[in-house]
Amino acid sequence: MILSRRPDIERFLKTPDPAIRVAVIYGRDVGVVRERAQALAAAVTDRPDDPFDCALLTEADIDGEVGKLEGELQAISMMGGRRLVRLRLGEKAAVDRAASEALAAHAAGDFNPDAFFLIEGGALGRDSQVRKVGEKIQGVVVIPCYEDEPGDLARLTREALAADKVGIETDALDLFVSRLPRERGVARSEIERLALFLGPGSGRVARAADLEDFLGVEPEASLLDAAQDAFGGRLGAAHAGLRRAAQEGEGGPAAVRAMGMHLAKLRRTLTLHQAGAGLQEAAKASGVFWKAEREFLRQARSWSLKDLDGVQADILAADLACKQSGSPDRLISERLALMIAGRARRLGL
């Protein structure tokens, strides 16, 4: 069984199906994989860190010694609770094959039926035996972990800050999320740092202006600013912003996503305006950052919904192209910025 929708995954991590004996959690983002594995480990056993209840194995532990993995799956908890066996896979095909064989045998009940087998992997390809076997047989759940989207990071930020009894305004949240790295573990560290900056338990609500010193990054270096420059017809500034973002570790897919987010704000603003809202009021409702409002309104007066429909198709095509293996994603994002800026100039911007 494959779980890919966030609500289904969260429901399973909170209350695992008793019929499931094996879980495979994998993905490029190690932080998300580790976080979900920890949540599942805590749900299946009362003492996930107790060496009498839990065995933690790495690829090196079973490379050439498969019997060690089978022995751990056959063992019974000394303390009487449910036994947990965790295996962290690497990249060796032999270990992947051995793990898949142990997975199938344990799901069939050949080892301790009360033990739970948790496999954590990186970006397992379609040729991974663990994936192939796990996705087909009963008693196994496979959870792929994808890169966090801005909406996921926004939700994560709000929930974490609320737990520390502090908050953040919408404009500030947009700004903060736009600067967060996509790796979950690093993003969580940044969110915790923000909570400390605001003062846990203080009830303080961060505004966009409060974050300027905290972020420590010039707004012009933001991918969102590069997207705004492209839609404003300023190609040179857009490309400069993209280059700075690349130096900060943001690749082409993130740049394309930023341009899609800017288009979405323009579309929402124009739709609300057509429904009778004032243009400035519509921009605020669309989450436009207050410092960018003047430039955004200038663009909203020139772009039409029909014009945006044409750009939307190009953004979707660029997004798909960036996700292909070996694609020149930085060049794709720069070409997209060139195309958008050219259309903006033709609109008089």
Side-chain angles (χ1 to χ4, degrees):
M1 176 173 64
I2 303 173
L3 295 181
S4 56
R5 295 178 63 249
R6 182 171 59 82
D8 295 335
I9 293 172
E10 291 183 350
R11 187 161 45 248
F12 176 79
L13 295 180
K14 185 177 180 181
T15 311
D17 184 342
I20 300 296
R21 290 179 180 162
V22 184
V24 179
I25 304 178
Y26 74 93
R28 192 177 302 279
D29 191 331
V30 177
V32 178
V33 172
R34 199 63 52 83
E35 189 172 295
R36 286 176 170 171
Q38 285 295 107
L40 183 55
V44 298
T45 182
D46 294 332
R47 297 178 290 273
D49 298 319
D50 190 328
F52 293 108
D53 282 345
C54 177
L56 177 59
L57 303 174
T58 65
E59 185 174 76
D61 292 323
I62 63 171
D63 188 15
E65 195 178 347
V66 180
K68 186 170 185 178
L69 174 59
E70 295 178 352
E72 294 290 358
L73 289 169
Q74 289 171 338
I76 298 173
S77 172
M78 294 181 64
M79 306 303 291
R82 189 176 192 186
R83 182 162 177 77
L84 172 65
V85 179
R86 297 177 68 170
L87 171 62
R88 289 177 177 164
L89 286 179
E91 299 179 354
K92 291 190 175 181
V95 176
D96 178 78
R97 184 168 55 254
S100 70
E101 292 171 357
L103 176 157
H106 186 55
D110 293 352
F111 303 130
N112 175 9
D114 291 328
F116 192 90
F117 188 18
L118 173 56
I119 301 175
E120 304 166 43
L124 302 180
R126 293 187 178 278
D127 58 342
S128 165
Q129 290 300 310
V130 164
R131 271 190 63 182
K132 286 182 178 178
V133 174
E135 291 173 358
K136 292 178 180 178
I137 63 177
Q138 296 291 323
V140 181
V141 66
V142 177
I143 302 176
C145 300
Y146 303 108
E147 183 184 71
D148 280 324
E149 296 293 334
D152 299 318
L153 293 173
R155 177 182 55 83
L156 191 68
T157 301
R158 284 194 184 280
E159 290 176 355
L161 293 182
D164 281 323
K165 295 181 172 56
V166 291
I168 187 167
E169 291 183 352
T170 301
D171 287 350
L173 181 64
D174 289 342
L175 176 62
F176 180 68
V177 168
S178 73
R179 307 294 170 82
L180 277 181
R182 300 302 175 213
E183 205 280 317
R184 174 70 71 88
V186 182
R188 270 211 180 273
S189 296
E190 286 299 299
I191 296 169
E192 290 170 2
R193 192 167 70 90
L194 175 60
L196 288 173
F197 172 76
L198 296 174
S202 67
R204 183 180 174 188
V205 178
R207 299 172 301 161
D210 298 330
L211 298 185
E212 292 183 6
D213 292 335
F214 170 80
L215 291 170
V217 179
E218 289 299 317
E220 290 76 16
S222 164
L223 282 176
L224 293 180
D225 289 331
Q228 179 169 268
D229 286 330
F231 277 89
R234 295 186 294 273
L235 178 60
H239 276 183
L242 292 177
R243 286 192 293 271
R244 283 193 293 271
Q247 291 171 356
E248 296 164 8
E250 293 287 5
V256 173
R257 189 162 51 241
M259 285 182 254
M261 290 172 63
H262 190 82
L263 182 144
K265 287 183 179 180
L266 280 170
R267 182 188 298 281
R268 176 170 167 75
T269 298
L270 293 178
T271 301
L272 290 173
H273 184 52
Q274 282 190 354
L279 199 57
Q280 187 173 18
E281 177 189 356
K284 288 183 182 296
S286 300
V288 176
F289 182 41
W290 64 273
K291 279 193 172 183
E293 187 177 280
R294 182 176 179 179
E295 168 60 21
F296 185 87
L297 292 176
R298 184 180 77 93
Q299 296 178 18
R301 294 186 183 99
S302 296
W303 285 91
S304 68
L305 289 173
K306 183 178 180 181
D307 296 324
L308 294 177
D309 285 340
V311 175
Q312 180 73 64
D314 293 315
I315 290 177
L316 290 174
D319 183 58
L320 289 173
C322 281
K323 292 176 180 176
Q324 294 179 6
S325 177
S327 65
D329 54 11
R330 180 176 169 183
L331 180 59
I332 291 170
S333 66
E334 290 183 352
R335 285 178 175 172
L336 178 63
L338 172 63
M339 182 277 298
I340 294 173
R343 292 195 181 189
R345 295 294 294 273
R346 288 193 292 274
L347 294 172
L349 287 162

